[in-house]
Amino acid sequence: MNTFQVALGNRSYPIYIGCGLLDQAELYTRHIKAKQVLVVTDEKIAPLYLDRVLAQLKGYKTTQVILPDGEQHKSLDVLNQIFDDLLANKFGRSATLIALGGGVIGDISGFAAACYQRGIPFIQIPTTLLAQVDSSVGGKTGVNHPLGKNMIGAFYQPQCVIADTNVLDTLEDRQLSAGLAEIIKYGLIRDAEFFSWLEANIDALLARDKQALAFAIERSCVNKAEVVAEDETESGIRATLNLGHTFGHAIETGMGYGEYLHGEAVAIGTCQAADLSRRKGWLKDSDVERIVALFKRAKLPVYPPNALSPEQFLELMSVDKKNVDGEVRLILLKAIGLATLPVGVDESLLHTTLAFYRS
Ligand code: GLY
């Protein structure tokens, strides 16, 4: 097992990464202060891993909430089911919530933990590659609104992240690729050497080579932990983690939550951001070709859905947390391995990319 620290003063916490961690009771119990524990998971993960997690919690008063699977269920209505259970079971402020699942479960459970009685401790047990390398780390929690993705939420850090790489054995291929999108993102925004490593090892990752996956997860978590430690609440450098996300969120919202996996939408959005970076004169044609080629090799989509017109994109992108006074601001690339902070983009240039970069 490898342990990495997210250094946030008195809110610091470890990320444990390794094989078989799900069955290591001590990892859980060292972060649980009182007897009441609620495990939140989804219909897909419950039959696979819920009993194994509950088996580590003997001696605790546990309850479970099993939510429907999918981004379309990351909503205020579904969030309320968690509060119903916490209240029905008279959970107090020292109770612990465990999020066992992918990004949807982590985000919604973390937000429930942030809000319930103004904050109770929670533990992240991410079960998708995307959650292990991105969403479980850094304390972004929340739910979607029909008009905008992740528009309701809070920064709220977990007590720890337990990333058991064995659970990736049951991950669908499509979900594996979606996780690779966020892994590629770290190479693009701040780690050119890692990007080159990914070009050389993408086939091993797709073949689920354990060593390659462990390296990619650890390198991603180290990158994420460094960024979050520097800028927990996204007043600066943390925004670079949103490369491709403004385009991507527009795709997720515009096409209906759950139609595209988050990582798929981010892959497309990153290609759009790369195209725009080239139009700004920052990326070379050969850089854009390398970026698009790597996403394609990772079996990710690279073109936006034709169903979304450039005008619809612009409308959807006008709802984004990075925007200031209604101006769309994007993370772009100066080079592979070097992202910009949010930059205002001339609407006609943005329109050119939206109109040009289509399938
Ligand atoms: N997923 C982007 C962030 O955590 O800031």
Side-chain angles (χ1 to χ4, degrees):
M1 176 177 84
N2 282 330
T3 305
F4 304 93
Q5 197 72 6
V6 184
L8 290 168
N10 62 5
R11 281 167 293 100
S12 299
Y13 56 93
I15 309 169
Y16 305 113
I17 303 173
C19 303
L21 304 191
L22 222 53
D23 304 314
Q24 293 191 21
E26 205 271 321
L27 284 185
Y28 304 61
T29 55
R30 73 168 76 145
H31 296 285
I32 298 176
K33 305 275 179 303
K35 290 286 170 211
Q36 294 173 317
V37 179
L38 169 64
V39 182
V40 181
T41 188
D42 67 38
E43 284 162 347
K44 212 184 222 172
I45 293 300
L48 295 170
Y49 300 118
L50 180 57
D51 284 349
R52 275 173 62 189
V53 168
L54 292 174
Q56 314 312 313
L57 299 169
K58 294 203 174 83
Y60 291 86
K61 178 185 178 296
T62 57
T63 68
Q64 309 117 54
V65 171
I66 300 175
L67 300 177
D69 171 47
E71 190 72 40
Q72 63 275 36
H73 302 296
K74 203 173 93 176
S75 65
L76 281 171
D77 280 350
V78 174
L79 172 72
N80 217 24
Q81 292 181 33
I82 303 176
F83 296 138
D84 289 347
D85 193 272
L86 288 163
L87 283 162
N89 288 292
K90 302 191 170 38
F91 271 45
R93 292 181 88 174
S94 51
T96 295
L97 196 154
I98 295 181
L100 173 68
V104 171
I105 289 297
D107 284 9
I108 198 167
S109 306
F111 190 44
C115 299
Y116 185 69
Q117 297 191 8
R118 302 201 177 88
I120 61 171
F122 87 110
I123 291 173
Q124 289 270 21
I125 307 184
T127 58
T128 62
L129 182 60
L130 188 137
Q132 291 190 350
V133 299
D134 187 28
S135 58
S136 70
V137 177
K140 277 192 179 174
T141 72
V143 295
N144 300 323
H145 185 279
L147 295 180
K149 172 131 165 129
N150 294 339
M151 278 294 145
I152 301 159
F155 289 102
Y156 193 66
Q157 302 296 340
Q159 301 301 302
C160 69
V161 179
I162 302 172
D164 183 343
T165 49
N166 282 352
V167 304
L168 301 179
D169 292 345
T170 55
L171 198 64
E172 293 156 12
D173 289 344
R174 191 176 163 200
Q175 288 278 359
L176 186 83
S177 290
L180 291 173
E182 295 282 12
I183 289 175
I184 293 169
K185 173 190 79 179
Y186 294 112
L188 287 172
I189 63 170
R190 70 194 307 269
D191 194 345
E193 190 188 321
F194 185 36
F195 186 85
S196 299
W197 182 90
L198 288 167
E199 290 182 308
N201 289 279
I202 197 74
D203 296 334
L205 291 167
L206 283 169
R208 298 175 192 240
D209 176 282
K210 291 262 185 220
Q211 266 189 325
L213 273 174
F215 176 80
I217 294 166
E218 288 172 14
R219 185 85 167 224
S220 299
C221 285
V222 168
N223 271 298
K224 176 115 193 211
E226 283 175 6
V227 172
V228 170
E230 202 176 320
D231 177 22
E232 182 183 8
T233 56
E234 202 169 303
S235 53
I237 193 168
R238 184 165 182 168
T240 60
L241 296 173
N242 284 319
L243 175 68
H245 283 56
T246 307
F247 294 102
H249 286 171
I251 294 169
E252 290 185 80
T253 308
M255 296 304 291
Y257 297 124
E259 189 64 29
Y260 280 73
L261 295 178
H262 176 63
E264 293 170 341
V266 165
I268 297 167
T270 301
C271 293
Q272 291 172 297
D275 180 79
L276 193 48
S277 304
R278 166 174 45 191
R279 288 174 198 284
K280 284 271 205 187
W282 294 334
L283 285 189
K284 301 191 288 272
D285 287 350
S286 57
D287 293 328
V288 179
E289 281 158 22
R290 276 177 76 189
I291 293 167
V292 173
L294 186 55
F295 283 121
K296 280 187 178 165
R297 287 180 62 208
K299 303 202 185 316
L300 284 157
V302 295
Y303 295 111
N306 283 324
L308 280 187
S309 68
E311 290 68 31
Q312 284 170 306
F313 254 105
L314 286 173
E315 174 63 24
L316 289 158
M317 290 169 81
S318 69
V319 180
D320 185 85
K321 294 187 285 306
K322 290 183 296 305
N323 295 349
V324 176
D325 292 336
E327 183 193 38
V328 175
R329 293 160 87 235
L330 298 169
I331 306 303
L332 296 177
L333 292 171
K334 290 267 172 152
I336 288 177
L338 183 61
T340 65
L341 289 174
V343 285
V345 180
D346 178 63
E347 196 171 309
S348 68
L349 193 62
L350 179 54
H351 195 279
T352 310
T353 280
L354 290 169
F356 172 84
Y357 195 80
R358 296 172 78 74
S359 49

